[in-house]
Amino acid sequence: MQHVVATRPPRGRAGSRSRPRAWAYWALAPTVVALLAFNYWPLLRTTVLSFQSSDLFGRPSGFVGADNYASMLGSPDFRRTLLVTSLFVLLTVAGKLLVGLALAVPLSRRLRGTAFSRATVLIPMAVSAAVAGLAFRALMSPTYGLLDQIAIALTGRPAGWLTEPTMALVSIVVVDVWISIGFVTLLLIAAIDAIPVDVEEAAALDGAGRMRLLRSVTVPLITPTLFFIVVTQSVQAMREFTIIQVVTGGGPARATQTLVFDIWAKAFGGTADYGAASARGIILLVVIAVLTAVQFGVLERRVNY
């Protein structure tokens, strides 16, 4: 009898255990509903549309199986779009890392004017991508742009920032790096500031110069931040649309048409082919997932936590 009384929980205690659990479900309900409505339902709808054709008004006109995927993967224009997307992601991520390190290393020193310089570097974070794109488009204009006038003064001919296919890709890379450089530099400054001073002093006593200190001490100790920047900025570059639309409009001759811009062109560029656009959206999702998995599988092994 004493054993039964000891193992049975009191009624009041059982009620107090179930009450927080019920409140937890109610608290999670809005988040779950929002995820289902704005994330998973559009993904499911996009997947279904990718297997359907569209009429002139963009309405689904019938199940076509994998025809949208077959025509897309067999198109030379789509393969060129993937190449442009890969170059854009590679150049922007590399540019952000190199420029960010070049700015963060001197700004991490406690010198006179460092606080003002740090605030100046963060200015691009306060500028929207559309405004920055319009400003750079004016600077790169082939008729009155300041950058083109400088190129003519130095080389005797225009650089073709927006008219030459190669230079147009470089132009949108420059704009994307400029917009994100404040955020990247801020992360790198915080990572460098977290390095123990004793480690740098010990390396200096062993005769390490500035470049050796940067290569053998600073960079290895900030690899978690570098890895975070590579992953997040790669995904951001894969989804970039505003800069391309404002600066080059995907041209000239599709030289700056990335996968996201191709999705927009299929859906809203005049054809209203939502089936083809949905198939490209699914491919974009797969590419981002594979790229992220490869980065975690390859680069994370070199991160020093």
Side-chain angles (χ1 to χ4, degrees):
M1 184 67 183
Q2 291 178 354
H3 177 71
V4 172
V5 172
T7 56
R8 180 180 297 174
R11 293 184 179 180
R13 183 179 300 176
S16 63
R17 285 180 180 178
S18 60
R19 192 173 303 164
R21 186 175 301 173
W23 276 107
Y25 287 132
W26 280 108
L28 288 173
T31 303
V32 173
V33 170
L35 285 174
L36 292 175
F38 298 108
N39 284 14
Y40 295 106
W41 170 248
L43 176 60
L44 177 62
R45 182 63 177 163
T46 301
T47 304
V48 173
L49 281 176
S50 69
F51 294 101
Q52 294 180 327
S53 60
S54 303
D55 59 15
L56 294 176
F57 302 100
R59 295 172 299 193
S61 58
F63 180 75
V64 294
D67 287 354
N68 288 327
Y69 291 94
S71 62
M72 173 182 60
L73 297 176
S75 171
D77 290 338
F78 181 74
R79 290 196 289 271
R80 183 181 179 183
T81 298
L82 287 181
L83 177 61
V84 172
T85 305
S86 302
L87 289 175
F88 178 72
V89 172
L90 181 64
L91 293 175
T92 53
V93 173
K96 291 170 187 175
L97 288 177
L98 293 176
V99 178
L101 273 176
L103 293 174
V105 170
L107 290 178
S108 63
R109 307 294 177 185
R110 300 296 179 182
L111 303 175
R112 180 177 297 178
T114 300
F116 176 77
S117 301
R118 288 186 177 187
T120 304
V121 171
L122 299 182
I123 288 178
M125 295 179 63
V127 182
S128 71
V131 173
L134 288 173
F136 273 95
R137 182 174 179 174
L139 289 172
M140 297 173 178
S141 172
T143 55
Y144 55 84
L146 176 62
L147 296 180
D148 230 16
Q149 298 302 317
I150 294 176
I152 292 174
L154 295 177
T155 64
R157 62 187 184 89
W161 298 101
L162 305 179
T163 55
E164 295 292 333
T166 304
M167 291 304 297
L169 182 60
V170 173
S171 300
I172 60 174
V173 169
V174 170
V175 179
D176 189 61
V177 170
W178 185 85
I179 290 175
S180 304
I181 200 59
F183 174 70
V184 172
T185 305
L186 183 65
L187 291 177
L188 292 175
I189 289 175
I192 294 174
D193 286 347
I195 296 176
V197 179
D198 298 344
V199 176
E200 295 183 342
E201 291 179 349
L205 289 175
D206 289 338
R210 291 188 179 275
M211 292 303 299
R212 181 64 184 275
L213 185 66
L214 175 65
R215 186 174 67 253
S216 302
V217 176
T218 304
V219 171
L221 291 180
I222 63 172
T223 47
T225 302
L226 295 175
F227 178 67
F228 173 79
I229 292 172
V230 169
V231 173
T232 57
Q233 295 304 310
S234 297
V235 175
Q236 185 273 331
M238 290 290 298
R239 301 186 305 166
E240 183 56 54
F241 173 78
T242 305
I243 294 173
I244 301 170
Q245 170 70 359
V246 173
V247 177
T248 63
R254 302 168 59 93
T256 58
Q257 183 159 313
T258 60
L259 188 50
V260 167
F261 194 90
D262 195 25
I263 294 171
W264 174 86
K266 287 292 181 183
F268 308 107
T271 58
D273 192 352
Y274 295 125
S278 299
R280 283 160 172 76
I282 297 299
I283 292 297
L284 175 63
L285 174 64
V286 173
V287 170
I288 291 177
V290 171
L291 176 63
T292 305
V294 170
Q295 289 172 338
F296 272 90
V298 176
L299 297 181
E300 195 179 22
R301 298 176 182 176
R302 299 178 180 274
V303 176
N304 300 313
Y305 289 108

